[in-house]
Amino acid sequence: MKIATIIAGAVIFLLLAIPLAVQVITAFRGPFLPFGVSTAKWSVENFVTLWSLRDDFWAVLGSTAAFVGGSTVLSLLMAFGLAWVTVRTDAPLRRVISVLVVVPFIIPPIVKAQAYLLMLSPESGVLNQLLRLLPGDLVIDPYSFVTMTFIQALTNVTFPYLMIVPILTSMDGSLEESARVSGASWAKTLRRVTLPMLWPGLLGVAVLTFILGLGSLEVPLLFGQESGKSIFALKLWNLISAGAGELPQYGLAAAWGCVFLVITTIAFVIYLRATRNAERRASISGKGFRPTVMKLGAWKIPVMLAIAVFVMLTAVLPLFALFWSAITPYPIAFSFEALVTQTQFGSFGAVLADPEFWASLGRTLVIAGGSATIACVAATVLAYGIARARRTGWTKAVDLFASSSVAIPAVIAGFAMFLTFMVINPVIPLAGTIVALIIAYSYRVSIAYRAGYSATLQIRMELEEAALVSGASPLEGFRRIVAPLLMPTVFAVWIQMFVLGTNEFTLPAFLATPESRPLSVYMYAMISPRSAQLYQPDQGAAMALIFTLLVFAIGYGLQWGVSLFAIGRAKRRNPIPGVGTAEVVPPADPVAPDTRAVAAQDLEERRQLARR
């Protein structure tokens, strides 16, 4: 078991530490690759260059802070409002609203960005068409910085919503009732009672949403070629995507990455320090916990209208814009005349007949499944070892390191992995391969680690102690007792990471080649005018819709299969007369004892002794 834990820790160390170390070395050994190049030498020239372009430096910092900070604040406000309505009010159709809010989470980010771009097209965009019906001839510029920020906020609402809902659900409403009985207004109760109680959780959501927005490349890449060119993610992309006659500036890009990695690390440390005494704000106890429901009264109609507008902007209009683009040969405004004379459905058939579509789809499934498996296996083994080990400075450091990938934006992780595979390519030729993408996708290992760590703490150690007393080794106890108990959590996390892998665009944007690109990158080539002969916007929109349906079907199909497996397993363990059949127990090994049976018998004897 110690060997397995060490191997799992080494895998996570290679996934996280080595790429970041290569990026830091590249920052001090540029301007190209740090090794294998005659011009590489140790210096601070890249940071000197970075500071010499101080106007550009402060422009990037300011634009990124405005873009990421503004989108984070807007998404948090919308997510908190939606969560409050669905959890703490008597609004009608709350279950339906919660489902509609989660629907955009299934849509891949690059698909959402493309849908918003089509929806906001100045001439043919459906939203601008609707706005022209209002007095004032209002038209939204899709390429303005404000529009980009608002679009980024809309794409990120579901993530903080899913994290805020359980926080609000677990808060005791009697505290707010006491404040109102004492004469406090609704606004004062929110400011003096609700927000202070929710402060640790909301701060964590804000930090994670900020890091998620900082590493997102989809919206800046599609919307920000002009107004958003100073945003960090697009700046990093442009530095390594050199044009004709130019060399990529890997060293300068690595220096930029180090600057923003320090910023995200500081944000992560602030979050850890601010939430270290979060238990002081715990409100759930054994004395009549009850989440209260606030009556909306006259506010019911305005709240429902606001939610309807949100659903229209995040689900209905974007999907309609994609569908309209897929059935028209070129961008035209929607009209009933165009619906009759200009529409055709050949783009869907062309996509389904495209061999590259199926090849990239297969690569997507392999990359997402392989990376999710590596991350879940390594994280679960290490989480068990750390959770069961004695708390020392070393175990605390390993625990923090294994949890640190949430503080690494995807754009920095993608660039660091790109540099790593370029450096080791003369020895281990992995650059541009599917294996490289599987390794890069696995960097989100901390998602599986935190889930496995929490699940392990919920398992009483007496089960493993009984197995050890019965003669089983620690590895055998983990395999026969702990692992089956952890399987539901592992399966749930695997599905989540698999869906994230199928949706991923930022990482393969740095690492993929035409021979290894997943479906998200191939779809971007179909919708980007810079792709020359691959540019076919109608087929790109049709591919986006098919891609969304596939992700939806695969994600929910896996969850349905796991649920059926869990139900069947429960029936086999606890058969109901006349309904299920008892589990067929294989014959016992004549040499090795049945560890689970012996452990259960020993546990029952301990309980009887304790009762006596």
Side-chain angles (χ1 to χ4, degrees):
M1 194 65 222
K2 289 182 179 180
I3 294 175
T5 304
I6 292 173
I7 293 175
V11 169
I12 294 177
F13 178 81
L14 293 174
L15 289 175
L16 300 181
I18 300 300
L20 294 180
V22 171
Q23 176 177 290
V24 173
I25 293 173
T26 304
F28 289 96
R29 280 182 64 89
F32 199 61
L33 292 177
F35 304 107
V37 181
S38 59
T39 57
K41 60 180 180 179
W42 291 100
S43 69
V44 294
E45 182 179 351
N46 290 314
F47 292 95
V48 172
T49 303
L50 189 65
W51 182 246
S52 65
L53 303 173
R54 59 176 59 90
D55 292 338
D56 183 53
F57 177 81
W58 292 115
V60 171
L61 287 181
S63 298
T64 305
F67 175 71
V68 180
S71 62
T72 299
V73 171
L74 288 174
S75 61
L76 283 176
L77 290 175
M78 289 185 284
F80 184 83
L82 290 167
W84 183 272
V85 169
T86 55
V87 174
R88 305 302 291 272
T89 70
D90 63 343
L93 304 176
R94 285 177 292 172
R95 292 183 180 273
V96 176
I97 294 171
S98 62
V99 173
L100 293 176
V101 174
V102 177
V103 166
F105 187 70
I106 305 297
I107 304 175
I110 188 65
V111 174
K112 285 189 287 188
Q114 180 197 5
Y116 284 123
L117 187 61
L118 293 172
M119 184 181 74
L120 294 172
S121 175
E123 298 299 330
S124 59
V126 61
L127 182 58
N128 278 325
Q129 282 187 263
L130 294 175
L131 292 176
R132 286 194 181 97
L133 300 177
L134 302 176
D137 194 24
L138 177 63
V139 177
I140 299 177
D141 180 9
Y143 302 105
S144 69
F145 191 86
V146 175
T147 303
M148 284 178 49
T149 304
F150 191 74
I151 293 300
Q152 181 69 24
L154 288 177
T155 59
N156 286 342
V157 167
T158 306
F159 174 76
Y161 170 82
L162 292 174
M163 299 185 69
I164 292 174
V165 164
I167 298 174
L168 288 176
T169 304
S170 59
M171 178 182 170
D172 192 350
S174 61
L175 302 173
E176 298 163 296
E177 285 186 358
S178 300
R180 287 194 291 268
V181 169
S182 302
S185 63
W186 178 85
K188 191 172 185 179
T189 301
L190 179 66
R191 180 173 59 88
R192 298 289 298 274
V193 178
T194 306
L195 292 180
M197 292 296 298
L198 300 177
W199 164 249
L202 292 179
L203 179 62
V205 175
V207 171
L208 294 179
T209 306
F210 176 84
I211 295 173
L212 181 68
L214 185 63
S216 177
L217 181 63
E218 296 84 5
V219 172
L221 188 61
L222 288 179
F223 286 82
Q225 295 295 337
E226 292 300 328
S227 60
K229 60 184 178 181
S230 295
I231 296 174
F232 167 65
L234 191 57
K235 181 74 173 181
L236 200 64
W237 170 262
N238 290 332
L239 285 174
I240 69 171
S241 302
E246 299 178 353
L247 290 176
Q249 303 180 60
Y250 294 151
L252 187 60
W256 273 113
C258 290
V259 170
F260 278 89
L261 187 61
V262 170
I263 293 174
T264 57
T265 302
I266 292 174
F268 189 61
V269 171
I270 291 174
Y271 159 67
L272 292 177
R273 290 186 60 85
T275 58
R276 65 184 184 275
N277 295 322
E279 66 277 0
R280 293 170 55 188
R281 294 177 172 87
S283 61
I284 298 179
S285 66
K287 298 182 179 180
F289 164 73
R290 50 190 176 88
T292 58
V293 175
M294 185 180 72
K295 296 184 181 297
L296 291 176
W299 285 92
K300 187 172 296 186
I301 294 178
V303 166
M304 297 304 295
L305 287 176
I307 292 175
V309 171
F310 173 82
V311 173
M312 290 286 290
L313 291 177
T314 56
V316 178
L317 292 181
L319 292 177
F320 176 80
L322 277 177
F323 182 74
W324 180 250
S325 178
I327 63 176
T328 51
Y330 53 89
I332 56 176
F334 173 80
S335 66
F336 289 103
E337 180 183 355
L339 181 64
V340 175
T341 61
Q342 299 291 336
T343 57
Q344 46 81 27
F345 293 86
S347 57
F348 292 95
V351 170
L352 297 177
D354 183 5
E356 179 59 25
F357 168 76
W358 296 105
S360 58
L361 175 62
R363 289 191 289 266
T364 300
L365 299 179
V366 171
I367 294 168
S371 60
T373 302
I374 292 175
C376 287
V377 171
T380 302
V381 174
L382 182 63
Y384 172 77
I386 297 300
R388 291 294 189 252
R390 187 167 56 90
R391 298 295 290 174
T392 62
W394 171 253
T395 57
K396 291 180 181 179
V398 173
D399 178 57
L400 181 61
F401 176 77
S403 307
S404 63
S405 73
V406 296
I408 306 174
V411 66
I412 293 180
F415 176 63
M417 291 286 183
F418 168 78
L419 288 177
T420 302
F421 291 120
M422 291 290 289
V423 167
I424 68 173
N425 199 60
V427 181
I428 307 176
L430 292 179
T433 64
I434 293 179
V435 176
L437 289 169
I438 292 175
I439 295 173
Y441 279 38
S442 303
Y443 101 95
R444 289 194 175 94
V445 67
S446 63
I447 298 175
Y449 174 80
R450 295 313 308 174
Y453 186 85
S454 301
T456 301
L457 293 180
Q458 294 176 1
I459 300 175
R460 300 286 295 272
M461 288 188 64
E462 58 189 21
L463 299 174
E464 300 148 77
E465 293 173 354
L468 294 175
V469 171
S470 303
S473 66
L475 182 60
E476 184 72 7
F478 174 79
R479 185 179 67 85
R480 300 286 297 275
I481 296 176
V482 179
L485 296 174
L486 292 176
M487 275 301 113
T489 300
V490 174
F491 278 139
V493 174
W494 189 92
I495 293 173
Q496 180 184 6
M497 297 193 68
F498 178 83
V499 173
L500 287 174
T502 57
N503 290 345
E504 185 60 56
F505 172 78
T506 302
L507 293 175
F510 286 91
L511 297 166
T513 62
E515 292 75 25
S516 63
R517 62 188 173 194
L519 190 55
S520 59
V521 177
Y522 180 55
M523 187 177 62
Y524 171 72
M526 299 285 286
I527 64 177
S528 175
R530 301 182 178 186
S531 302
Q533 69 274 14
L534 287 179
Y535 177 61
Q536 293 179 329
D538 57 336
Q539 293 187 27
M543 189 178 298
L545 290 172
I546 296 173
F547 188 24
T548 301
L549 291 176
L550 287 174
V551 172
F552 179 84
I554 292 173
Y556 278 92
L558 288 172
Q559 291 183 355
W560 180 70
V562 170
S563 300
L564 288 182
F565 174 79
I567 293 173
R569 186 177 180 184
K571 286 183 177 180
R572 288 194 300 271
R573 286 187 172 183
N574 302 299
I576 301 175
V579 177
T581 58
E583 181 179 5
V584 179
V585 181
D589 190 341
V591 177
D594 190 339
T595 307
R596 285 177 294 183
V598 175
Q601 182 180 0
D602 184 79
L603 178 60
E604 183 61 28
E605 292 177 356
R606 286 172 172 237
R607 288 175 176 171
Q608 292 178 3
L609 180 61
R611 283 195 291 268
R612 289 198 297 269

